[in-house]
Amino acid sequence: MYKKLLIVFLLAFLVRLIAIDQSLWLDEAVTANVVESYSYSEIITKFSPTDFHPPLFYLVEKFWINIFGYSEIALRFPSVIFSLITGWMIYLIGKKMKDANVGLFAAALFLFNPLIIYYSQEARMYSLITLFVTMIIYYLLKIAGPGKSFPPVSARHGSHDLRAVRSPSTLATRNIVLINIFILLSFLTFYGSIFFIFAIYIWLLIKREFKLLFMLLPGFILAVLLVFPLFINQYLNSKIALNDVKNWSLVLGKANIKNLLLIPLKFSIGRISFEPKILYYSIAGLWSLFVFYFLAKGWKNTLFLITLLTVFLAFIASFFTPLLQYFRFIYLIPLISLLLAINTKNKLTKAVLLSGFIIFSLIYLLNSNYHREDWKSLVGDLKTKTIYMIPSSSDAVKYYNKNIEVRSLNQVSEMHLENEITVIPYTSEIHGVDYVKELSRKYYELSSEKSYRELKIETWKL
């Protein structure tokens, strides 16, 4: 078994090195510039109030880059490590729930899941939150004792005897403390973890495990107390941003059927997309149905119910604040991997599931068309030291060349006439900036344009 584990984790590590030096995209460049420009205290006091996430990930990332530098690989490597540790924890969970073979298969499904591969190469908080959520699952299982279902349910419900929780031993107390710590760390890393945390609480309420619920509240309460002043500032700033940025809500994930269906689809096929769309949706849809058929076979399993409850809570919340984007829920993929491993008995089915994930992962990794926005090439090709774009979207430009002067695309109507200007229209549509109308009014004409994977440089001349 240990030889198989070694092979799986070695391959998972090597796969994560493929194209890990691709260009940073906007949000990763934000991470890079923040951890380079701000001190630890300034990340909390100066940057975080203008951001939409809690600060823990940035603090961890700053500690790392102070040792290993600011390159794309250095910035992304913590996510590689977090994802591999998560895979190991999934193996331990599967082994405890069933046996070592289930644990190994669950770990493999997670490690080669195409969406996990993508975000294990991203300098953002998603791999870290996935690790913390998995740790919560692991320690919940540990306090449940030696049984084979999850999470802890008292003996009157037929699966676990929680006498150890009702009369806590030193070991049970330690595990409860650790769960609280990881609940705390989860919320300090990613606000979206609240839906998973509440799903656990609601499940314990349904099962009338009131004492255990009470013992698992301190971590969340402490997390809320720690970030509440910051969260209020962020919330107020986000309301201002939603008003000022005309179409911002369109990219945040409104509560609709499309965004809901994208969750199982992207969980199964990752972030690849291709033309014609009818072929893409046919392949992606059929593969997702195949994957989630085996997932739904375990609909009575608590992991399945917690997964559904988490998404349901987020769906309801998105009617008030749009946040229903599939990548915000990748911390559920460990639960899904465990469910697939438990519910899949046939060797051929196992081979198809794992092979499918590997194939879609390699399609992403080996085809640069599916990689992130190519700011590295765009900035390298700039022939001018002055560009016009949305300043709040210029972090990637600053990362690759700090000498570039960024002028606001919002102010093209007020600029002095120049014979030629360079425009990067990135996010202009989201911000509702009709720069084409303004430039045409000043008698500018589009002279040339060049594309760089989801990006464009435009040259306008009088």
Side-chain angles (χ1 to χ4, degrees):
M1 178 57 66
Y2 286 107
K3 287 184 179 179
K4 292 180 181 178
L5 276 170
L6 181 61
I7 292 171
V8 166
F9 278 85
L10 179 60
L11 289 175
F13 173 69
L14 293 176
V15 160
R16 280 158 171 74
L17 299 184
I18 300 174
I20 194 173
D21 63 342
Q22 63 183 272
S23 174
L24 299 185
W25 78 290
L26 173 61
D27 284 8
E28 290 183 293
V30 169
T31 298
N33 291 331
V34 166
V35 297
E36 182 179 11
S37 303
Y38 293 91
S39 68
Y40 290 102
S41 60
E42 288 174 338
I43 287 175
I44 298 172
T45 59
K46 292 186 178 181
F47 167 73
S48 289
T50 65
D51 193 38
F52 307 114
H53 299 287
L56 182 58
F57 169 76
Y58 297 106
L59 299 175
V60 172
E61 189 81 349
K62 183 170 182 63
F63 175 80
W64 177 270
I65 57 92
N66 281 345
I67 300 172
F68 297 102
Y70 296 86
S71 69
E72 294 101 338
I73 295 175
L75 285 159
R76 288 171 171 150
F77 213 78
S79 292
V80 172
I81 296 171
F82 298 146
S83 69
L84 293 174
I85 297 173
T86 304
W88 176 252
M89 298 311 300
I90 290 170
Y91 164 73
L92 295 179
I93 294 169
K95 181 180 178 181
K96 193 170 183 66
M97 291 177 70
K98 290 292 182 181
D99 55 50
N101 288 323
V102 167
L104 177 62
F105 186 50
L109 288 173
F110 171 81
L111 290 169
F112 294 102
N113 180 285
L115 197 61
I116 291 297
I117 291 286
Y118 184 94
Y119 282 101
S120 66
Q121 292 185 320
E122 181 147 299
R124 297 294 284 169
M125 64 287 300
Y126 303 109
S127 280
L128 182 58
I129 186 58
T130 303
L131 172 59
F132 288 153
V133 165
T134 305
M135 298 301 291
I136 294 172
I137 298 168
Y138 175 72
Y139 284 106
L140 273 171
L141 184 62
K142 286 199 75 173
I143 66 170
K148 293 188 178 181
S149 61
F150 176 86
V153 181
S154 64
R156 64 177 176 274
H157 296 297
S159 61
H160 281 303
D161 182 358
L162 284 191
R163 285 173 294 183
V165 174
R166 297 193 181 95
S167 303
S169 65
T170 302
L171 181 61
T173 301
R174 188 193 72 176
N175 291 332
I176 289 169
V177 169
L178 287 169
I179 295 171
N180 277 290
I181 289 172
F182 285 112
I183 288 174
L184 170 71
L185 294 176
S186 294
F187 196 66
L188 296 182
T189 299
F190 183 59
Y191 292 134
S193 63
I194 192 173
F195 303 115
F196 172 80
I197 295 168
F198 273 30
I200 294 291
Y201 290 158
I202 292 171
W203 180 252
L204 292 174
L205 275 175
I206 292 170
K207 292 302 179 180
R208 291 183 287 179
E209 293 292 349
F210 303 123
K211 184 168 184 179
L212 181 58
L213 171 60
F214 179 76
M215 289 189 288
L216 298 184
L217 285 175
F220 180 69
I221 293 171
L222 180 57
V224 171
L225 291 175
L226 286 173
V227 301
F228 186 73
L230 172 63
F231 177 78
I232 292 299
N233 278 334
Q234 291 176 325
Y235 179 76
L236 294 175
N237 287 332
S238 69
K239 288 296 183 183
I240 294 171
L242 282 171
N243 290 327
D244 291 347
V245 183
K246 186 176 180 180
N247 299 314
W248 187 246
S249 63
L250 298 179
V251 299
L252 292 180
K254 290 186 175 182
N256 56 43
I257 298 300
K258 177 185 176 183
N259 287 330
L260 198 60
L261 290 177
L262 278 176
I263 295 173
L265 189 145
K266 294 298 185 180
F267 277 21
S268 303
I269 200 171
R271 288 190 56 126
I272 66 172
S273 180
F274 49 83
E275 301 289 346
K277 285 300 180 184
I278 187 169
L279 179 62
Y280 166 71
Y281 284 116
S282 297
I283 293 173
L286 288 172
W287 175 247
S288 299
L289 286 172
F290 177 76
V291 171
F292 276 78
Y293 165 75
F294 291 99
L295 185 69
K297 286 176 69 176
W299 66 274
K300 292 183 179 180
N301 190 297
T302 302
L303 289 176
F304 184 83
L305 298 176
I306 289 176
T307 300
L308 282 186
L309 186 55
T310 300
V311 175
F312 174 75
L313 292 173
F315 183 72
I316 297 302
S318 293
F319 282 103
F320 305 96
T321 299
L323 46 76
L324 198 66
Q325 293 173 304
Y326 62 88
F327 61 84
R328 298 183 189 276
F329 306 98
I330 69 165
Y331 58 71
L332 294 174
I333 293 181
L335 286 73
I336 290 170
S337 302
L338 286 160
L339 283 166
L340 287 173
I342 292 169
N343 297 333
T344 308
K345 310 296 183 183
N346 184 276
K347 289 184 178 180
L348 178 61
T349 304
K350 289 181 177 181
V352 171
L353 277 172
L354 185 55
S355 298
F357 282 172
I358 292 172
I359 288 169
F360 286 122
S361 294
L362 291 176
I363 289 173
Y364 151 66
L365 289 168
L366 300 178
N367 188 336
S368 62
N369 291 326
Y370 300 130
H371 292 174
R372 292 164 177 81
E373 301 159 356
D374 193 6
W375 288 100
K376 186 191 300 188
S377 297
L378 182 151
V379 174
D381 285 352
L382 283 174
K383 301 295 192 295
T384 177
K385 293 296 183 182
T386 303
I387 59 172
Y388 287 85
M389 67 180 299
I390 304 297
S392 61
S393 301
S394 65
D395 280 86
V397 174
K398 296 173 185 175
Y399 175 80
Y400 286 107
N401 190 339
K402 290 180 171 56
N403 295 320
I404 298 291
E405 179 187 355
V406 177
R407 295 179 181 174
S408 178
L409 201 55
N410 291 289
Q411 299 172 350
V412 291
S413 60
E414 304 169 9
M415 70 182 185
H416 299 295
L417 291 179
E418 304 170 45
N419 290 330
E420 179 179 298
I421 64 170
T422 300
V423 172
I424 300 177
Y426 182 71
T427 72
S428 60
E429 185 176 350
I430 295 172
H431 284 75
V433 177
D434 191 353
Y435 70 96
V436 173
K437 178 181 177 181
E438 292 297 331
L439 288 174
S440 298
R441 189 173 64 83
K442 285 181 169 288
Y443 303 105
Y444 279 91
E445 292 183 354
L446 180 61
S447 172
S448 64
E449 64 179 6
K450 188 173 181 180
S451 297
Y452 299 83
R453 212 164 48 235
E454 301 183 55
L455 306 169
K456 282 195 305 183
I457 293 179
E458 297 178 349
T459 301
W460 291 75
K461 293 183 178 181
L462 280 174

